[in-house]
Amino acid sequence: MKEKIKNYLIYILNLALFIAIIFYSIKYWNFIKTNLSLIKLFPLLTSFIFLFLILILASYRWKFLLDIFNKKTSFKDIFLIYNASGIYKYVPPKGINYIIRFEFFKKLKLELEGKITSILGEGFLDVYIALLYAIILILTIFKINTLSS
């Protein structure tokens, strides 16, 4: 019974998203058509290639963190889980990516041991990279201000 209600809710959500996409497309069709006619193909393809490369590298980074704890994770599964859980950027609340990741792990029958630690490790790695960027930015601003003085 509970599973049936869950399936109905998923169907209703998919239908609502499909209808929203149709209304969005109708409302902004002239704007989309004008912008598509102005786009040059080479920069667009280059940006898609770089975006795909970034997604592959981010998934590979997460696979590296997971391989410390698990031996049974394929890159294809990690790529799917990592990129599907990126929906948190568009749908609140922020923690939905962790819920989606755990559900994918259960669905793909991957072992859950080490997943929490690797997710925390990923978060700490992101904080570490952000701190490095902040230090580089502060040093660059300080150096530019010193040179301009």
Side-chain angles (χ1 to χ4, degrees):
M1 179 71 171
K2 189 176 181 181
E3 188 69 30
K4 212 175 211 185
I5 292 173
K6 184 178 176 182
N7 287 338
Y8 285 131
L9 288 175
I10 289 172
Y11 290 134
I12 291 171
L13 179 64
N14 286 333
L15 182 64
L17 288 173
F18 180 71
I19 291 171
I21 288 173
I22 290 173
F23 280 122
Y24 180 81
S25 299
I26 291 170
K27 182 177 179 182
Y28 293 105
W29 175 245
N30 289 331
F31 180 71
I32 293 170
K33 190 170 69 171
T34 304
N35 285 326
L36 286 176
S37 66
L38 297 174
I39 291 175
K40 294 181 180 163
L41 194 57
F42 181 72
L44 182 66
L45 288 176
T46 306
S47 66
F48 278 129
I49 289 170
F50 278 114
L51 176 65
F52 190 68
L53 183 64
I54 289 168
L55 292 176
I56 287 174
L57 290 174
S59 301
Y60 187 73
R61 178 189 70 173
W62 198 48
K63 181 180 175 2
F64 175 74
L65 289 168
L66 286 174
D67 282 345
I68 294 171
F69 300 102
N70 281 344
K71 303 296 181 200
K72 189 189 166 195
T73 51
S74 70
F75 181 75
K76 179 181 146 190
D77 293 338
I78 296 301
F79 185 77
L80 170 73
I81 293 169
Y82 185 82
N83 290 305
S85 66
I87 198 169
Y88 77 92
K89 299 173 191 165
Y90 312 106
V91 178
K94 175 103 170 100
I96 197 167
N97 62 331
Y98 300 122
I99 296 169
I100 291 172
R101 286 181 186 178
F102 283 125
E103 288 300 318
F104 268 115
F105 282 134
K106 288 178 187 174
K107 189 173 188 173
L108 295 172
K109 294 180 176 62
L110 295 173
E111 300 152 6
L112 285 174
E113 66 182 56
K115 301 299 190 274
I116 296 172
T117 310
S118 63
I119 289 172
L120 290 175
E122 178 192 9
F124 285 124
L125 186 62
D126 288 341
V127 170
Y128 177 70
I129 291 171
L131 286 173
L132 283 177
Y133 284 153
I135 290 170
I136 291 170
L137 178 66
I138 290 169
L139 290 175
T140 305
I141 290 173
F142 180 72
K143 190 171 187 174
I144 289 173
N145 286 338
T146 307
L147 289 175
S148 64
S149 298

